[in-house]
């Protein structure tokens, strides 16, 4: 009897998570080394319930649809994993003749990947466990960037470009766009790419910097002396100098925080303290579920990550994660490599200082050079014929 392979998804979906699934399944089928290719139905919870999807039963045409389908075709979860669960996993792996386990997810999922790898080694079981990076937040350590981020960045940049065109057309308010990212401001920062087409945000606030409401109001007030329509992009994870969220979270679990409405809070600050019309916008889940704004670079790299992790496991590697190393920005070139899972588990990668401007309300050209290739082809050109009227102080 040969060995079987199981793929487990964890955490929030992305626009290219299924592309990594596609890469892994195609590699497993092509190898001839795997009897059955299973997908855990709805993540680790499905695995523990022995709820498996036979991925080898689907046609090439059906598998091809994974490349243009957001979310995850096998389901995912944020199930907490306890020590006893790892013992149960090892038993199920033995019961179902599983020789290869692929985990696709973010920091928490890579932690699970590493702990299962160690549990199997401790038992002397010859099972290969590999990680496939996945996160829109781009906060996984070691790798230059993670599959899922490029598409989220493209969506954010394009949406802010469209928003800025709207505000320029009717410049009567301050609009605050809220971006996802618990502790890392990568998605928030990517909105700056909209400015390369002349429709970029005026202010950007990242969770890597303590947020000061007085400074924010001064920034807005200064801009209102020059223009009557302003676009601000702010991270959902903004916090004050003491580390407290600027808006009380509405719900918290062990790792997940459901933040309050930062965009509405900041808009209300403008209204209350400056007496100027303001509104908040919040794309929410739309930012990670858009195939219309999917980055082709992100999609292809997601396929590569899935294929590479699967092939590495089949070649005997274990306790590693597929990762990317940046070779150059222009022309864009990366080098795939395997990172030790111990270097990844629960380590959070945030925006470095050289990517954030001195005032803490924008990004640097260095960040733009780094981020630009990840969103794929350039955003569409736009045009405006109206002349913007300036504002005078006190108006």
């Amino acid at each position: 009897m040969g060995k079987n392979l199981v793929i487990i998804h964890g955490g929030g979906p992305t626009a290219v998570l299924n592309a990594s699934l596609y890469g892994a399944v195609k590699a497993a089928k092509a190898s001839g080394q795997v009897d059955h290719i299973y997908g855990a139905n709805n993540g680790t919870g499905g695995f523990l319930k022995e709820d498996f999807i036979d991925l080898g039963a689907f046609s090439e045409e059906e598998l091809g649809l994974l490349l243009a389908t957001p979310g995850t075709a096998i389901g995912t979860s944020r199930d907490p994993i306890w020590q006893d669960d790892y013992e149960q996993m090892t038993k199920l792996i033995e019961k179902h003749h599983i020789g290869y386990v692929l985990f696709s997810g973010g920091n928490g999922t890579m932690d699970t990947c590493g702990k299962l790898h160690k549990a199997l080694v401790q038992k002397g079981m010859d099972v290969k466990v590999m990680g496939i990076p996945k996160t829109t937040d781009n906060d996984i350590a070691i790798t230059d960037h993670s599959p899922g981020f490029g598409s989220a960045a493209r969506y954010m940049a394009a949406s802010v470009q469209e928003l800025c065109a709207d505000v320029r057309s009717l410049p009567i308010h301050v609009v605050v766009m809220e971006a996802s990212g618990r502790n890392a401001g990568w998605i928030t920062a990517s909105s700056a790419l909209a400015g390369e087409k002349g429709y970029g945000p005026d202010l950007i606030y990242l969770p890597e910097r303590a947020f000061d409401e007085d400074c924010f109001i001064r920034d807005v007030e200064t801009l209102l002396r020059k223009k009557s329509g302003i676009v601000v992009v702010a991270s959902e994870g903004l916090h004050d100098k003491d580390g407290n969220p600027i808006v009380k979270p509405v719900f918290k679990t062990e790792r997940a925080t459901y933040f309050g409405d930062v965009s509405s809070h900041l808009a209300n600050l403008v209204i209350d303290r400056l007496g100027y019309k303001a509104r908040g916008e919040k794309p929410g889940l739309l930012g990670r579920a858009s195939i219309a704004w999917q980055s082709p670079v992100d999609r292809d790299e997601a396929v590569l990550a899935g294929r590479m992790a699967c092939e590495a496991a089949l070649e005997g590697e274990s306790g590693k994660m597929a990762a990317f190393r940046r070779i150059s920005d222009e022309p864009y070139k990366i080098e795939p490599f395997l990172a030790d899972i111990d270097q990844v588990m629960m380590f959070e990668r945030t925006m470095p200082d050289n990517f954030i401007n001195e005032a803490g309300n924008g990004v640097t050209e260095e960040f733009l050079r780094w981020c630009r290739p990840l969103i794929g082809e350039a955003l569409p050109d736009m045009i405006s014929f109206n002349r913007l009227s300036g504002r005078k102080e006190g108006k």
Side-chain angles (χ1 to χ4, degrees):
M1 182 178 294
K3 293 180 179 180
N4 301 322
L5 178 147
V6 64
I7 302 169
I8 304 170
H9 285 172
T14 77
V16 298
L17 179 51
N18 281 324
S20 288
L21 178 64
Y22 174 86
V25 172
K26 291 285 285 184
K29 291 182 74 171
S31 72
Q33 296 177 233
V34 179
D35 280 356
H36 296 284
I37 306 167
Y38 296 129
N41 192 33
N42 295 319
T44 50
F47 181 80
L48 289 167
K49 293 173 186 174
E50 302 178 69
D51 187 1
F52 299 123
I53 299 167
D54 184 2
L55 297 174
F58 297 100
S59 68
E60 290 300 308
E61 183 179 5
E62 289 171 312
L63 291 176
L65 292 175
L66 291 172
L67 299 173
T69 304
T72 159
I74 61 174
T76 183
S77 71
R78 294 192 188 275
D79 297 327
I81 304 297
W82 310 107
Q83 193 56 46
D84 289 348
D85 292 327
Y86 291 104
E87 177 67 25
Q88 179 64 10
M89 284 184 193
T90 61
K91 292 178 180 177
L92 294 177
I93 285 170
E94 186 172 28
K95 176 181 177 181
H96 292 279
H97 308 288
I98 294 170
Y100 313 98
V101 183
L102 304 181
F103 281 97
S104 188
N107 295 301
T109 303
M110 291 306 109
D111 186 62
T112 301
C113 176
K115 287 177 178 175
L116 179 61
H117 163 70
K118 291 174 183 178
L120 291 163
V121 169
Q122 205 168 40
K123 285 182 170 290
M125 297 175 65
D126 184 22
V127 179
K128 309 307 176 187
V129 184
M130 291 292 298
I132 305 169
K134 175 278 316 173
T135 175
T136 58
D137 290 349
N138 199 45
D139 57 356
I140 297 179
I142 305 300
T143 186
D144 176 77
H145 57 278
S146 300
F149 169 68
S151 294
R154 183 169 178 81
Y155 176 93
M156 179 55 64
S159 297
V160 169
Q161 181 190 31
E162 293 167 345
L163 175 62
C164 289
D166 183 283
V167 171
R168 178 172 178 150
S169 305
L170 185 61
I172 61 172
H173 43 21
V174 174
V175 180
V176 183
M177 169 80 90
E178 183 175 330
S180 60
R182 184 174 55 238
N183 299 313
W186 299 98
I187 295 177
T188 309
S190 68
S191 65
L193 291 171
E196 300 192 321
K197 293 296 184 179
Y199 292 88
D202 298 286
L203 298 165
I204 298 172
Y205 296 98
L206 309 165
E208 284 82 358
R209 293 287 183 272
F211 185 79
D212 185 301
E213 292 186 352
D214 292 333
C215 288
F216 165 68
I217 291 298
R218 284 197 297 271
D219 287 345
V220 173
E221 189 173 30
T222 298
L223 283 169
L224 283 175
R225 293 172 186 154
K226 305 173 184 176
K227 57 192 300 190
S228 54
I230 294 171
V231 174
V232 178
V233 181
S235 166
E236 66 177 355
L238 290 182
H239 57 83
D240 62 23
K241 61 182 176 58
D242 297 317
N244 301 310
I246 65 168
V247 180
K248 184 180 178 181
V250 295
F251 183 71
K252 293 186 74 172
T253 63
E254 283 198 1
R255 288 197 67 245
T257 299
Y258 293 80
F259 292 95
D261 197 330
V262 168
S263 57
S264 290
H265 173 71
L266 295 184
N268 287 334
L269 272 180
V270 171
I271 295 169
D272 294 341
R273 295 179 60 174
L274 296 179
Y276 198 80
K277 185 177 181 180
R279 62 184 295 159
E281 300 288 347
K282 189 175 182 177
L285 298 185
L286 297 175
R288 73 185 192 196
S290 175
I291 288 297
W293 285 114
Q294 182 194 66
S295 162
V297 172
D298 192 29
R299 180 194 61 225
D300 293 347
E301 290 182 347
V303 174
L304 171 61
R307 184 178 74 240
M308 185 168 69
C310 181
E311 289 175 347
L314 295 173
E315 291 168 4
E317 293 282 2
S318 190
K320 305 281 180 65
M321 183 192 79
F324 303 133
R325 182 181 295 115
R326 182 78 62 110
I327 303 301
S328 67
D329 296 324
E330 299 174 4
Y332 174 63
K333 186 177 181 182
I334 60 161
E335 176 183 70
F337 71 101
L338 298 179
D340 194 302
I341 201 68
D342 284 333
Q343 296 179 287
V344 181
M345 296 164 65
M346 296 305 291
F347 289 103
E348 196 166 43
R349 177 173 177 258
T350 56
M351 289 265 294
D353 288 343
N354 60 307
F355 281 1
I356 306 171
N357 72 2
E358 189 174 349
N361 60 11
V363 300
T364 63
E365 177 58 37
E366 194 170 355
F367 168 78
L368 294 174
R369 284 197 304 272
W370 174 87
C371 192
R372 191 178 292 122
L374 304 182
I375 70 168
E377 62 266 24
L379 297 178
D381 290 322
M382 294 183 176
I383 194 166
S384 176
F385 300 127
N386 73 307
R387 288 183 288 274
L388 294 179
S389 57
R391 285 172 53 85
K392 294 181 180 180
E393 190 170 352
K395 292 291 184 180

